[in-house]
Amino acid sequence: MILESKIPEGSIESKWTQYKGHCKLVNPPNKRKMTILVIGTGLAGASAAATLGELGYKVKAFCFQDSPRRAHSIAAQGGINAAKNYPNDGDSVFRLFYDTIKGGDYRSREANVHRLAEVSSNIIDQCVAQGVPFAREYSGLLSNRSFGGTQVQRTFYAAGQTGQQLLIGAYQALERQIAIGNVTMYNRHEMLDVVVKDGKAVGIIVRNLLDGKIERFAGTAVLLCSGGYGNVFYLSTNAMGANATAAWKAHNKGALFANPCFTQIHPTCIPVSGEYQSKLTLMSESLRNDGRIWVPKKKGDERHPADIPEDERDYYLERKYPAFGNLVPRDVASRAAKEQCDTGLGVGTSKKAVYLDFGSAIERYGKEKAHIQDIHNPSIDKIKELGRIVLSEKYGNLFDMYMKITGENPYLQPMRIYPAVHYTMGGLWVDYELQSTVKGLYVLGEANFSDHGANRLGASSLMQGLADGYFVIPYTLGNNLAQEIYNKPISTDDPIFDISEKAVRTQIEKLMNIKGKTSADTFHKRLGKIMWDKCGMARNEKNLKEAIIEIQALKKEFWQDLKIPGSQNEFNPELEKAGRIADFIELGELMCIDALHRNESCGGHFREEYQTPEGEALRQDEQFSYVAAWHRKAEHEWELFKEPLVFDSIKLAQRNYK
């Protein structure tokens, strides 16, 4: 198999413009004859479904939640990047492009990333037109703040609930198309197979989660917008229902899975509090604009943080990376926190945490506000009071969330944070047109691999999801569908649908007939522990080989001892979970295989054998400057295909944030 990326000719600045100017089009009457199936209704799915419906296609959209508004995009907090340069601090399309390539440790495709940077400004205009309440300066201009891996302020935000507000905007656009009949919405439907005929995706098989019925849908194209696979680790910042089943079923039908070992550990999460915890909570990276991260200089220092004087604190990110300080990329900040805790400097009862301190910001903002209000010689208490008001305006919902979960007041004492699994950069391989290796199957947002390399910069996930849905797929899909007007639409009565539906029913019956003693959650938790311990923040050859053997043994036990109460012909959440965890187990094995084969460190993939004397990730560009795309051949067996990464516009270099 040859991976054809279909990158247009020309300079990096002209590729997307030239593509749009020369791509094939589908005229309005022909669009009305075509059915597009959209799986997932987060930012990528909702924006794609709404846009394609607006263009005149017949769209059918599916989500396993009871409403599109429950998509996990709603949980994103800190902001969305765009190269508008409102603060006039030197930003540009090229700088956003460069920061993203560098932040991903030079393991992403240049052409896709530059396109993302180009359309970023259009996204903000689109969302403002939808009424998204972005924060504004006194002048009325949209406000910006910084995120990790940059030295400019390019992140637009709506307090600490940016994802929610953006999703409401996309949801409103989607609901308009539903109301006028261009989009049909199927809530509580889970895709369990892609129907492929003669190498082309022609439909899907879904299960109605309310009554268990298996249903068929035919389409001219299938768009997978089903998110990432962070929940393979069990404990993550993802919603508990987030899963990889749609992407994995596509992988089993021939869609190559790219860079599965590239997973992101977010440095700013509330630490694990107990053995029976099922989810972790993210504290937005935006907090690192004003919070300073530190640990005591002395091991075992049990004093209250307020009692530890400045000269006995180690602001280790500011010390190690003076140019970026607390705003280094996520992978760098996460490893640095782990290093501090591993050497015995962690704080809290578990000693698996570091402090995120807002004391300096409160004092700074308090003095500024006192000056604005013309308060002369304010007391320190008055300064702190005013500073807390400003901080509340910027991050109030995040501080409230932290207080409710921990019982501690972050206005009065530092937050305790520790890295946790958050985002996945790997996903189904796609070309420049977002089409997978299965013709007619397109993959958008976090479900594909294309834009973030080995580490995603903060505030870029919302950018990618909306870029793919609003501004990329309408052109690339049309370019390919222009050839479909001569083809007769396939019917769900075609025998290929019988074959796919039978396979789905067989899988469900196999799960139900195990009748063992162990719950799906127990297997999930065991898988998560293997993955976190041996393929988590740091990996090495010995642990990865052990993990592969342990996951294979876990899979065998799963299919012998799984217990699913209830029946398949009813609402059965345990059956849902069992199917998703069966897929997670197989994906976990591939993640470890991919991590074992990549004998280098890059971004979030930190192989302990490959690091600089300073403990930073050490790439091996001559051997591994490629996308690793895996084809499933049989159980426990995958074949590797490589897409070479060519850097014409940016020079490969060891990352330096000092």
Side-chain angles (χ1 to χ4, degrees):
M1 186 184 300
I2 298 175
L3 297 177
E4 297 183 25
S5 57
K6 299 181 184 175
I7 298 172
E9 297 293 329
S11 66
I12 194 74
E13 295 84 6
S14 66
K15 290 181 186 296
W16 181 232
T17 301
Q18 290 293 320
Y19 180 92
K20 289 190 295 180
H22 295 86
C23 67
K24 299 181 179 68
L25 302 176
V26 181
N27 74 17
N30 284 331
K31 287 174 184 171
R32 291 192 289 270
K33 301 174 185 176
M34 296 180 174
T35 299
I36 312 300
L37 308 177
V38 179
I39 315 303
T41 53
L43 285 180
S47 61
T51 305
L52 296 175
E54 185 79 40
L55 288 172
Y57 294 101
K58 290 170 59 181
V59 179
K60 295 181 180 180
F62 302 80
C63 70
F64 67 78
Q65 300 96 339
D66 57 1
S67 165
R69 279 198 55 190
R70 288 192 181 274
H72 187 60
S73 300
I74 203 170
Q77 299 166 341
I80 177 171
N81 288 331
K84 277 187 171 291
N85 194 31
Y86 282 170
N88 197 30
D89 56 359
D91 202 10
S92 65
V93 167
F94 184 85
R95 194 172 294 277
L96 174 53
F97 162 60
Y98 173 79
D99 286 345
T100 305
I101 292 285
K102 178 182 176 183
D105 217 352
Y106 304 91
R107 289 294 176 262
S108 48
R109 188 190 288 152
E110 274 194 344
N112 288 65
V113 177
H114 196 279
R115 177 176 63 189
L116 178 64
E118 286 180 69
V119 305
S120 63
S121 293
N122 302 115
I123 298 170
I124 304 303
D125 296 338
Q126 170 93 355
C127 294
V128 169
Q130 291 174 338
V132 173
F134 286 120
R136 293 180 181 269
E137 303 291 351
Y138 182 76
S139 64
L141 276 179
L142 299 183
S143 184
N144 291 107
R145 56 191 178 198
S146 295
F147 262 59
T150 72
Q151 292 179 304
V152 297
Q153 296 183 85
R154 65 163 66 102
T155 304
F156 295 77
Y157 62 97
Q161 50 182 261
T162 312
Q164 179 178 1
Q165 298 302 327
L166 292 173
L167 187 61
I168 289 172
Y171 173 73
Q172 290 174 150
L174 174 61
E175 283 296 314
R176 178 177 180 273
Q177 295 304 311
I178 293 172
I180 61 180
N182 291 340
V183 176
T184 305
M185 188 68 225
Y186 296 87
N187 302 333
R188 287 294 192 183
H189 282 69
E190 182 168 27
M191 192 203 91
L192 295 182
D193 200 16
V194 179
V195 181
V196 178
K197 183 174 183 178
D198 299 328
K200 181 183 183 300
V202 295
I204 58 174
I205 306 294
V206 303
R207 180 173 182 267
N208 185 324
L209 299 181
L210 295 178
D211 57 19
K213 290 182 179 177
I214 305 300
E215 302 174 15
R216 308 174 175 189
F217 294 89
T220 317
V222 178
L223 274 57
L224 282 188
C225 314
S226 50
Y229 49 92
N231 273 356
V232 71
F233 290 90
Y234 185 70
L235 285 178
S236 82
T237 66
N238 288 262
M240 291 184 66
N243 63 86
T245 285
W248 196 249
K249 300 305 185 187
H251 175 57
N252 288 339
K253 281 297 184 74
L256 269 58
F257 209 111
N259 299 336
C261 77
F262 286 172
T263 55
Q264 179 167 85
I265 313 297
H266 197 295
T268 317
C269 300
I270 298 178
V272 176
S273 59
E275 182 181 348
Y276 297 102
Q277 191 168 346
S278 57
K279 186 189 180 307
L280 296 173
T281 303
L282 174 68
M283 289 287 100
S284 170
E285 183 175 325
S286 63
L287 295 175
R288 290 199 271 151
N289 275 267
D290 290 310
R292 301 178 69 194
I293 297 173
W294 63 276
V295 293
K297 289 183 177 179
K298 185 174 65 175
K299 293 181 180 180
D301 194 330
E302 300 287 347
R303 289 177 290 176
H304 189 278
D307 297 329
I308 301 177
E310 282 288 314
D311 61 355
E312 296 182 33
R313 301 178 179 186
D314 181 12
Y315 295 92
Y316 58 88
L317 291 178
E318 298 172 30
R319 170 175 55 81
K320 294 180 68 174
Y321 309 102
F324 284 74
N326 295 295
L327 287 169
V328 292
R330 292 174 175 178
D331 61 314
V332 177
S334 294
R335 284 196 297 274
K338 180 179 185 295
E339 178 186 0
Q340 298 301 315
C341 295
D342 288 350
T343 55
L345 293 169
V347 301
T349 54
S350 68
K351 303 304 178 187
K352 290 288 187 181
V354 298
Y355 288 129
L356 180 61
D357 195 330
F358 298 90
S360 298
I362 288 172
E363 187 172 339
R364 183 178 72 255
Y365 286 132
K367 289 178 179 178
E368 290 177 1
K369 197 169 185 68
H371 181 74
I372 291 170
Q373 295 183 355
D374 204 22
I375 300 174
H376 300 286
N377 300 317
S379 67
I380 187 64
D381 288 339
K382 184 62 177 178
I383 289 173
K384 289 183 177 180
E385 177 190 341
L386 294 172
R388 289 167 190 151
I389 291 172
V390 176
L391 219 58
S392 178
E393 292 170 351
K394 292 168 69 87
Y395 311 110
N397 64 309
L398 299 173
F399 278 56
D400 292 345
M401 188 190 308
Y402 182 88
M403 206 177 314
K404 288 178 181 178
I405 292 173
T406 66
E408 300 172 0
N409 188 338
Y411 294 106
L412 303 179
Q413 66 185 78
M415 290 182 179
R416 289 175 294 107
I417 58 169
Y418 192 71
V421 173
H422 179 54
Y423 188 90
T424 52
M425 285 76 63
L428 295 180
W429 184 92
V430 293
D431 59 24
Y432 187 75
E433 297 183 311
L434 302 184
Q435 188 168 208
S436 73
T437 47
V438 174
K439 187 179 179 182
L441 177 66
Y442 299 80
V443 191
L444 285 65
E446 190 180 358
N448 76 36
F449 87 98
S450 66
D451 289 11
H452 307 297
N455 173 66
R456 179 176 66 77
L457 292 185
S460 288
S461 64
L462 304 183
M463 178 174 61
Q464 185 205 354
L466 292 180
D468 287 355
Y470 282 138
F471 299 109
V472 177
I473 199 65
Y475 289 97
T476 62
L477 181 65
N479 186 54
N480 289 288
L481 292 189
Q483 304 167 48
E484 294 289 327
I485 59 174
Y486 306 106
N487 299 331
K488 183 180 179 182
I490 194 170
S491 166
T492 54
D493 294 328
D494 191 284
I496 195 66
F497 279 88
D498 296 333
I499 295 170
S500 288
E501 181 177 331
K502 182 179 179 181
V504 167
R505 291 185 181 278
T506 300
Q507 175 84 343
I508 292 173
E509 289 167 3
K510 185 178 178 182
L511 286 166
M512 294 299 303
N513 290 333
I514 297 172
K515 301 187 184 305
K517 299 178 180 179
T518 305
S519 70
D521 279 329
T522 299
F523 284 109
H524 195 184
K525 187 179 292 188
R526 288 171 57 189
L527 172 66
K529 181 170 175 53
I530 296 170
M531 295 300 297
W532 178 250
D533 289 346
K534 299 184 177 181
C535 193
M537 246 193 295
R539 301 99 184 257
N540 60 56
E541 181 180 2
K542 175 177 176 292
N543 282 349
L544 288 169
K545 287 180 176 178
E546 291 175 354
I548 292 169
I549 294 172
E550 290 172 17
I551 292 171
Q552 290 175 349
L554 183 70
K555 179 180 179 179
K556 184 177 181 180
E557 186 179 345
F558 174 89
W559 287 102
Q560 292 175 344
D561 196 39
L562 174 69
K563 178 180 181 179
I564 303 176
S567 74
Q568 67 189 64
N569 299 316
E570 62 179 352
F571 176 64
N572 191 339
E574 289 301 308
L575 174 58
E576 295 172 38
K577 284 191 286 187
R580 296 166 188 169
I581 292 159
D583 296 330
F584 273 143
I585 290 172
E586 294 181 348
L587 174 56
E589 181 180 358
L590 178 58
M591 290 168 66
C592 293
I593 290 171
D594 187 43
L596 181 62
H597 114 275
R598 189 170 283 274
N599 291 320
E600 65 166 350
S601 290
C602 54
H605 169 65
F606 191 74
R607 282 285 296 270
E608 293 173 338
E609 305 96 318
Y610 305 96
Q611 52 184 301
T612 67
E614 297 81 20
E616 305 294 344
L618 181 62
R619 299 194 318 269
Q620 306 281 355
D621 291 331
E622 291 185 4
Q623 294 95 347
F624 293 98
S625 189
Y626 60 76
V627 177
W630 298 89
H631 168 67
R632 187 170 190 181
K633 298 179 67 177
E635 185 176 20
H636 308 310
E637 186 179 352
W638 283 268
E639 183 179 2
L640 174 62
F641 294 88
K642 302 176 182 179
E643 178 200 343
L645 291 171
V646 179
F647 295 91
D648 294 322
S649 303
I650 293 178
K651 183 180 178 181
L652 283 167
Q654 183 69 28
R655 283 195 304 172
N656 183 0
Y657 291 99
K658 297 181 179 180

